[in-house]
Amino acid sequence: MEPSDSSPATSNITVRRGEPLVVIKDINKHYGELHVLKNINAVVNRGEVVVVIGPSGSGKSTLCRAINRLETIDDGAITIDGVHLPAEGKELAALRADVGMVFQAFNLFAHKTVLQNVTLGPIKVRGMSKVEADKKAMIMLERVGVANQAEKMPAQLSGGQQQRVAIARALAMDPKLILLDEPTSALDPEMINEVLQVMIDLANEGMTMIVVTHEMGFARKAADRVIFMAEGEIVEETTPEEFFTNPKSARAQDFLSKIINH
């Protein structure tokens, strides 16, 4: 007898690793008349790497930013580790501390050294002592390969180095989850791989990550699951192998043919 499909209704992929960490249920988002997220349902499990891809304007970055409420949603619900996303205030700040965010623009504080950029959150939000925070920051900077840049200002670093500092800054908070919104799209081609390698290492260490990216090689190598979005909807959700070799929808086939023949 065929086993019945008892995986959660919000995801068509059987839970592969830990229990659900992020649950996105029936969320919608409008900008005026424009319906940018349409009834989005998704689950990200602990220790899973989910890569969100799709054409420009498909709602990928909006979805990523909604997960830590940098974007508000019109309706639906997002829970992280069983806690509903608070609208504002201290609860939201506490939740954001558990969700690291790495942006397209590195968003480092230009007037602070690399080390100060990484220690700021642990000192201010986690209440760590400076000595403890410095020690932790150096471990994280070592982990992403820029410990030798600790005393420099961000402007003295290459784009790839700055983005690795931004990843170290996210890691220093011991997040449950890291959101990466097109982390390599502002980089020169020769710097992309150094950042992708750090992301692959994190994936291999079991960090839960949601990554919006155009880097198909990373999606193939590091993702547990690919979510393909178009026009504000999740069109396909499957393994990288399945998505890249056998896309089901015409929209995904069209998207991949443009990229692969590019």
Side-chain angles (χ1 to χ4, degrees):
M1 202 174 98
E2 287 293 310
S4 68
D5 179 19
S6 60
S7 59
T10 44
S11 171
N12 60 12
I13 305 291
T14 313
V15 173
R16 286 248 317 261
R17 297 200 182 181
E19 69 281 10
L21 180 65
V22 182
V23 179
I24 297 164
K25 198 159 172 43
D26 300 329
I27 71 168
N28 284 280
K29 167 80 178 172
H30 293 78
Y31 291 125
E33 294 293 295
L34 196 61
H35 196 172
V36 287
L37 294 176
K38 302 172 184 171
N39 297 318
I40 300 288
N41 287 281
V43 172
V44 178
N45 300 302
R46 205 180 292 278
E48 201 177 23
V49 177
V50 174
V51 171
V52 185
I53 59 179
S56 292
S58 58
K60 311 181 298 286
S61 288
T62 307
L63 176 61
C64 189
R65 292 166 68 87
I67 293 169
N68 72 347
R69 215 163 186 105
L70 287 172
E71 294 277 2
T72 56
I73 54 176
D74 299 336
D75 51 59
I78 299 174
T79 57
I80 297 176
D81 212 2
V83 179
H84 273 274
L85 209 52
E88 55 196 23
K90 281 185 180 159
E91 292 86 359
L92 180 60
L95 187 105
R96 279 205 184 130
D98 286 339
V99 181
M101 183 98 195
V102 178
F103 301 90
Q104 183 176 345
F106 324 120
N107 288 19
L108 298 174
F109 293 108
H111 62 290
K112 291 186 182 297
T113 66
V114 164
L115 185 65
Q116 287 168 335
N117 265 280
V118 179
T119 59
L120 192 68
I123 292 169
K124 292 261 192 247
V125 181
R126 298 275 189 232
M128 260 189 204
S129 71
K130 185 180 181 309
V131 173
E132 210 183 344
D134 282 356
K135 189 174 164 189
K136 172 144 204 168
M138 289 308 296
I139 292 168
M140 295 307 159
L141 290 168
E142 187 72 52
R143 192 167 164 187
V144 300
V146 288
N148 59 338
Q149 309 292 334
E151 295 308 322
K152 289 188 178 169
M153 305 304 275
Q156 296 174 277
L157 273 53
S158 70
Q161 288 170 327
Q162 288 188 59
Q163 194 59 296
R164 286 186 283 158
V165 172
I167 293 170
R169 181 174 62 178
L171 290 172
M173 295 292 286
D174 287 326
K176 294 175 178 174
L177 160 74
I178 296 186
L179 306 171
L180 299 106
D181 186 10
E182 302 203 12
T184 59
S185 61
L187 297 176
D188 293 334
E190 69 272 17
M191 292 172 192
I192 290 174
N193 282 340
E194 67 189 59
V195 174
L196 290 178
Q197 190 53 56
V198 168
M199 290 160 59
I200 288 164
D201 292 345
L202 288 178
N204 291 338
E205 289 165 22
M207 173 58 75
T208 312
M209 297 196 284
I210 299 172
V211 186
V212 174
T213 187
H214 295 292
E215 295 295 328
M216 298 302 135
F218 173 79
R220 279 196 137 137
K221 194 181 289 187
D224 293 296
R225 193 145 43 99
V226 168
I227 289 177
F228 174 73
M229 290 183 71
E231 293 169 18
E233 295 178 291
I234 293 178
V235 179
E236 289 192 40
E237 180 184 1
T238 186
T239 61
E241 177 64 24
E242 182 70 15
F243 181 76
F244 288 109
T245 57
N246 188 23
K248 300 281 186 288
S249 65
R251 278 188 285 191
Q253 289 161 11
D254 180 53
F255 176 77
L256 286 170
S257 72
K258 287 188 175 118
I259 285 182
I260 288 157
N261 300 329
H262 188 51

